[in-house]
Amino acid sequence: MIGAEKINERLSEALALELGDQAEAVFLGSDSGLTRFANSTIHQNVAETQSKVFFRVIRGKKIGVASTNSLARGDLKRAYRLAARIARSQKENPDFVSLPGPATYPTIDTHVDTTARLTPRQRAMKVRTVIREAARKNCTVAGSFASGADEIAVINTLGVSAHQVMTTASLSVIAMTGNSSGYAQGFSRNVDDIDARAIAKQAAATAARCANPEDVPPGDYQVVLEPVAVAGLLEWLNYIGFGSKAMHEQTSFLAGHVGEKITGDTITIYDDANDPAGIAMPFDFEGVPKRRVELVTDGVAKGAVYDSLWARRAETQSTGHALTPDNAGEGALPLNVFMAGGDSSLERMIAAVDEGLLVTRFHYINGFLDTPKAVLTGMTRDGLMRIKNGRVVGGAKNLRFTDSMLRAFESVRGLSSERQLAPSWWDAVGCICVPAMRLGSFRFSGKTEF
């Protein structure tokens, strides 16, 4: 990690050139390591150190953005000058008013030294535990174990100065038998929270339960979704529905329905980057303090998140959800999404199903079919199981689903009290935290070839 003092010195020196009415610099740095394994053998260890600096220059209502991956003084100044030249050639943005001003941020401990210092050998030892545990169940395994440290800084000419260092670690495991597979994962800022043996046991147990899977016809089923499956659905719902651009362009399933009931009563979804139960982060990429935002409460649509520019368009205030300057045109997005839990458990929800399916996870989800109705399609993977009379009775061959999540979530019949973290599209500063879920109706539209 470079440190707040050096980053601030270099960025402030560049911004001192005063090439616009206002200017902003955003630093992103990371030191990461990754160990991949397949056929119960480690086959790749990689490490990467990288940094990137974005400059955003404001001239009146014209905005220019440029970037560099160098912290050399000359390179920073060149990138800043380029952003200023780009601003001069842009059309005016009538919605722009100002960059954010200075703020205070909550103190959140997001850095764990053990994670930051994790070596390839230490990752390999965790993977060895996975391989040995799976072998006891006659499974081979594949997957990856990643760890690293990230650093973010935001400064601007109005006095914003924000800096945070963070760590994350994640382990994903696919356990395989001759004709079945199972999946499990762990994710945390603290690598010591990741229990490699327990994750391997869970993946291997799922693979064993799914051995010799049977054909099941497409149709409408009661389902129990494990947390990883719920996270896959929620990640897409977040992308198509909870951001400012989707609300502004009326493509979100929330648009025109704020204050209306859109799901079952027990569905509550919110974004809270200050909750230490998730992957906390005190400010966004404009240096605005993050705050909790209710998205859906007790089944009722509440609204979306905003950065400063899209908040102006909506005549509201920024909620602290700006993306990096190069993605500002995509609007604000929640990065710390939670679904509230219930009072059940995965086991009790399975026991309540007379006939249905247990889904470990989905893949190849596509949410662009009909975004106002939140229609998603995708396939099951690594653990689709048949439930009869409250018991898992064996595996099922994978199916494709196509369904409106608003319709499916209207049929919610249970949520587990325990929730699990799943990595998001940018897991250094966010995550998805979800319970297991029981739905009375979930529509599978076809079979897959595997």
Side-chain angles (χ1 to χ4, degrees), residues 108 110 164 166 189 272-276 278-282 336 428-430:
I108 302 175
T110 58
Q164 196 78 11
M166 303 147 287
R189 289 212 184 275
D272 189 357
N274 293 307
D275 188 340
I279 300 296
M281 178 65 188
N336 305 80
V429 295

Side-chain angles (χ1 to χ4, degrees), residues 82 120 138 292 326 340:
L82 177 58
N138 297 315
R292 175 169 168 146
D326 58 324

Side-chain angles (χ1 to χ4, degrees), residues 320-332:
H321 289 84
L323 303 180
T324 52
D326 58 324
N327 286 308
E330 296 302 311

Side-chain angles (χ1 to χ4, degrees), residues 90-125:
Q90 294 295 301
K91 293 182 178 180
E92 290 190 348
N93 187 327
D95 296 312
F96 180 81
V97 176
S98 175
L99 293 175
T104 57
Y105 311 106
T107 300
I108 302 175
D109 187 5
T110 58
H111 184 274
V112 180
D113 193 60
T114 306
T115 307
R117 295 182 179 274
L118 201 70
T119 66
R121 178 178 176 81
Q122 288 173 312
R123 288 198 305 273
M125 292 301 99

Side-chain angles (χ1 to χ4, degrees), residues 4-298:
E5 183 176 350
K6 182 176 179 180
I7 294 171
N8 191 70
E9 175 192 348
R10 292 289 176 90
L11 300 186
S12 296
E13 184 179 317
L15 293 180
L17 295 176
E18 297 184 0
L19 300 178
D21 300 318
Q22 297 178 9
E24 169 192 80
V26 179
F27 171 84
L28 312 175
S30 68
D31 293 304
S32 61
L34 175 66
T35 300
R36 288 193 175 102
F37 52 99
N39 296 318
S40 294
T41 303
I42 292 175
H43 65 89
Q44 186 179 49
N45 267 304
V46 295
E48 182 179 35
T49 298
Q50 62 175 335
S51 60
K52 193 166 190 177
V53 177
F54 294 96
F55 287 100
R56 183 162 55 154
V57 176
I58 313 300
R59 287 177 170 272
K61 289 183 174 291
K62 297 181 177 182
I63 305 171
V65 175
S67 66
T68 177
N69 60 2
S70 171
L71 271 179
R73 289 181 171 86
D75 294 332
L76 291 171
K77 291 176 181 178
R78 274 190 289 272
Y80 182 33
R81 290 188 180 102
L82 177 58
R85 289 200 300 271
I86 292 171
R88 282 197 296 268
S89 65
Q90 294 295 301
K91 293 182 178 180
E92 290 190 348
N93 187 327
D95 296 312
F96 180 81
V97 176
S98 175
L99 293 175
T104 57
Y105 311 106
T107 300
I108 302 175
D109 187 5
T110 58
H111 184 274
V112 180
D113 193 60
T114 306
T115 307
R117 295 182 179 274
L118 201 70
T119 66
R121 178 178 176 81
Q122 288 173 312
R123 288 198 305 273
M125 292 301 99
K126 289 257 189 184
V127 173
R128 183 176 68 174
T129 298
V130 170
I131 292 170
R132 288 180 172 178
E133 188 61 41
R136 293 189 181 99
K137 304 294 183 181
N138 297 315
C139 291
T140 59
V141 288
S144 64
F145 185 21
S147 62
D150 296 84
E151 189 171 21
I152 295 175
V154 182
I155 69 171
N156 72 25
T157 54
L158 299 183
V160 165
S161 181
H163 176 266
Q164 196 78 11
V165 291
M166 303 147 287
T167 56
T168 54
S170 62
L171 172 63
S172 61
V173 176
I174 300 173
M176 293 164 283
T177 66
N179 57 12
S180 66
S181 60
Y183 179 82
Q185 69 176 31
F187 177 55
S188 178
R189 289 212 184 275
N190 188 346
V191 68
D192 291 336
D193 292 340
I194 296 178
D195 188 334
R197 180 170 284 104
I199 290 170
K201 281 184 177 180
Q202 182 182 346
T206 297
R209 295 169 95 179
C210 293
N212 303 313
E214 295 185 2
D215 263 317
V216 294
D220 195 323
Y221 286 87
Q222 284 194 60
V223 296
V224 176
L225 306 179
E226 294 191 12
V228 175
V230 178
L233 301 179
L234 186 54
E235 183 172 36
W236 265 97
L237 290 177
N238 181 40
Y239 187 68
I240 65 174
F242 297 143
S244 56
K245 184 178 181 180
M247 281 290 283
H248 181 77
E249 296 180 346
Q250 299 287 298
T251 61
S252 167
F253 51 85
L254 298 182
H257 300 290
V258 172
E260 299 177 9
K261 186 179 175 189
I262 59 171
T263 68
D265 292 340
T266 56
I267 299 294
T268 291
I269 302 168
Y270 58 94
D271 181 276
D272 189 357
N274 293 307
D275 188 340
I279 300 296
M281 178 65 188
F283 55 85
D284 70 3
F285 292 102
E286 291 183 314
V288 175
K290 286 181 170 287
R291 59 182 175 86
R292 175 169 168 146
V293 178
E294 300 292 327
L295 304 167
V296 178
T297 302
D298 298 331

Side-chain angles (χ1 to χ4, degrees), residues 433-445:
C433 182
V434 291
M437 174 186 287
R438 178 186 165 213
L439 298 174
S441 176
F442 195 81
R443 293 172 177 171
F444 291 96
S445 54

